[in-house]
Amino acid sequence: MPFSKIAAENDVASSAEKPPVVVREYEQVRDKAAVEELERRCEVGQPGKPSLVTDLMGDPIARVRNFVSHIMLVAEYNDGREIVGVIRGCIKTVTSGKSCSQSPIYVKLAYILGLRVSSTHRRLGIATKLVQELEEWCKKNGAEYAYMATECSNQASLNLFTQKCNYVKFRNPTVLVQPVHFHEKPLPSDVAVVRVPPDVAESVYRNIFSGSEFFPKDIDRLLSNKLNLGTLMALPKKLLPNWNPNSGELPASFAILSVWDTKEVYRLQVKGVSSLTHAACLGTRVIDAMAPWLKIPSVPNIFKNFGFYFMYGLHMEGKDGPKLMKSLCKWVHNIARDDADCRLVVAEVGQNDPVREAVPRWKKFSWDEDVWCIKRFGQVNQDWCKSPTSSSSIIFVDPRDL
């Protein structure tokens, strides 16, 4: 995913003898300060061009700690006197589609993220060594596949994984970004939005996503996480009196999603824009605050450290589905509006997922093609890597992967 963009350079080593590099597991007391400094120095972006910079919050391993099986590795250079690389990984059990009997197929999947190598120590084989060591840990812990995500423009990372580490391009989900405006978005008067308890949400999600890809088997753990702000369902008000959430039956027409708060894990900041762009964005906020009834599409202050809400588990059914999904997105926007530290609402969905057209977005902030690459470990009954894109239009994006 773009917010965990892998910052790797072409990792071809020179013909000279490589200096010693040791890869070992991260130790918080010993390594925290050095890793934080490395990540700060590895901010992604090109000079003179706008870039989205990630600032990790708290312990650097926090991004994978929400998984039961996780690890973080560091690369030491020059006899251990300097940490020059870092990588994270986790293992989870997810769906890879449906079998012929229509029951879900589960696989043990590793996710690789947060690869960083110091800019002064690239082209020494460090990134490749980090990936290989992490893959060995994944195999020892039973992973059948590993995957990573990056932007389609991040050619250095794609070259590293596809050319040197034998990953294949697999899926291309769409990232949809909506700025949080000053004004509240009104909801249709004939739409009801209700909060769904975690146990009911789990049942609904297992029902509607059983045939999708990447749906986590531990959805109950995800929904009970402290970063999960809750699950919302929208349905026509006329159907509300006759719907019992505990019955196990779904309304004829509905939309559902859950909301994840990213602020405690990492934060974002846009850098590299001109003074004129700064002034123009500030002007939209001033006008919007002075005349909210005009509904000026103001740009929040994304040039200072900020957080965002991530919408996941998006699904809609029935003839009113698109309208209900748009209503849910408005509801989430209004919740984010009350959080002064939240500047964006983000979702990531499959290219062919029907909800894609119902989710509000700004084209200038969104992008159509995130790149997910995958690799198979050993022999499995069915090679997921070779399954066609059309095999499942629905991709469940786990917010813990951000």
Side-chain angles (χ1 to χ4, degrees), residues 14 38 55 65 81 134 175 196 253 284 316 338 345 380:
S14 64
L38 171 65
D55 180 20
R65 185 166 283 158
R81 289 195 289 269
L134 182 55
V175 179
V196 182
S253 192
T284 64
M316 62 187 189
D338 294 333
V345 174
V380 293

Side-chain angles (χ1 to χ4, degrees), residues 21-330:
V21 176
V22 176
V23 174
R24 61 170 175 82
E25 191 167 345
Y26 167 81
E27 298 175 19
Q28 179 171 339
V29 175
R30 176 182 175 184
D31 303 326
K32 185 174 184 292
V35 169
E36 288 177 341
E37 175 60 20
L38 171 65
E39 303 243 345
R40 186 191 65 78
R41 288 189 280 112
C42 288
E43 289 181 346
V44 179
Q46 302 179 35
K49 294 186 178 181
S51 59
L52 194 61
V53 177
T54 302
D55 180 20
L56 294 176
M57 301 295 293
D59 185 358
I61 203 172
R63 292 179 70 187
V64 290
R65 185 166 283 158
N66 286 313
F67 294 96
V68 174
S69 183
H70 63 267
I71 196 171
M72 179 171 169
L73 302 176
V74 296
E76 290 182 325
Y77 180 81
N78 198 14
D79 294 328
R81 289 195 289 269
E82 185 178 6
I83 291 180
V84 297
V86 64
I87 194 170
R88 299 168 179 83
C90 59
I91 298 176
K92 55 185 177 178
T93 301
V94 303
T95 56
S96 61
K98 276 187 177 181
S99 65
C100 296
S101 63
Q102 297 300 304
S103 59
I105 302 173
Y106 283 102
V107 298
K108 205 165 184 180
L109 177 71
Y111 179 54
I112 298 175
L113 73 161
L115 173 60
R116 300 284 189 270
V117 174
S118 169
S119 60
T120 57
H121 295 84
R122 292 175 184 169
R123 302 182 68 83
L124 297 173
I126 295 173
T128 301
K129 188 174 181 64
L130 281 166
V131 174
Q132 291 173 343
E133 292 288 338
L134 182 55
E135 286 182 344
E136 287 303 311
W137 175 85
C138 295
K139 294 174 187 177
K140 289 178 182 178
N141 285 273
E144 300 168 86
Y145 296 88
Y147 84 110
M148 53 75 70
T150 189
E151 294 179 22
C152 60
S153 60
N154 193 355
Q155 196 60 49
S157 289
L158 291 173
N159 289 344
L160 170 66
F161 279 89
T162 60
Q163 296 180 16
K164 293 187 66 65
C165 299
N166 299 317
Y167 285 70
V168 295
K169 294 181 181 179
F170 187 58
R171 298 291 182 257
N172 300 103
T174 298
V175 179
L176 308 171
V177 181
Q178 179 187 13
V180 177
H181 302 313
F182 175 80
H183 52 272
E184 183 174 344
K185 293 183 177 293
L187 271 65
S189 59
D190 58 345
V191 172
V193 176
V194 296
R195 286 190 173 272
V196 182
D199 58 333
V200 177
E202 177 188 349
S203 176
V204 172
Y205 279 145
R206 291 194 188 278
N207 181 19
I208 61 181
F209 286 108
S210 62
S212 69
E213 294 183 316
F214 296 94
F215 178 70
K217 194 172 185 178
D218 65 342
I219 184 66
D220 54 333
R221 182 181 177 89
L222 179 60
L223 295 172
S224 62
N225 191 289
K226 66 177 183 178
L227 299 180
N228 192 65
L229 299 182
T231 301
L232 303 169
M233 179 180 284
L235 63 158
K237 278 187 176 178
K238 61 184 180 181
L239 299 181
L240 185 59
N242 299 320
W243 178 58
N244 179 5
N246 298 313
S247 67
E249 297 182 1
L250 294 172
S253 192
F254 73 95
I256 189 171
L257 60 78
S258 296
V259 185
W260 188 266
D261 186 356
T262 70
K263 300 194 301 295
E264 290 187 24
V265 180
Y266 66 97
R267 304 171 68 77
L268 301 174
Q269 181 179 359
V270 175
K271 291 187 177 182
V273 300
S274 66
S275 299
L276 181 60
T277 301
H278 269 278
C281 293
L282 175 60
T284 64
R285 295 195 298 276
V286 171
I287 296 174
D288 198 18
M290 294 175 61
W293 59 88
L294 295 177
K295 296 184 179 180
I296 299 295
S298 58
V299 180
N301 188 358
I302 55 177
F303 308 113
K304 290 186 177 180
N305 191 286
F306 68 91
F308 67 94
Y309 287 171
F310 186 77
M311 301 185 298
Y312 69 97
L314 292 84
H315 182 79
M316 62 187 189
E317 291 186 11
K319 64 177 183 179
D320 295 321
K323 175 182 178 180
L324 297 172
M325 180 56 68
K326 290 177 181 178
S327 298
L328 282 184
C329 293
K330 290 180 180 180

Side-chain angles (χ1 to χ4, degrees), residues 376-401:
R376 182 182 63 168
F377 296 142
Q379 297 296 319
V380 293
N381 293 331
Q382 182 177 349
D383 191 353
W384 189 19
C385 302
K386 296 181 179 179
S387 62
T389 304
S390 59
S391 62
S392 174
S393 63
I394 311 298
I395 296 175
F396 189 99
V397 180
D398 193 326
R400 295 171 295 184
D401 289 351

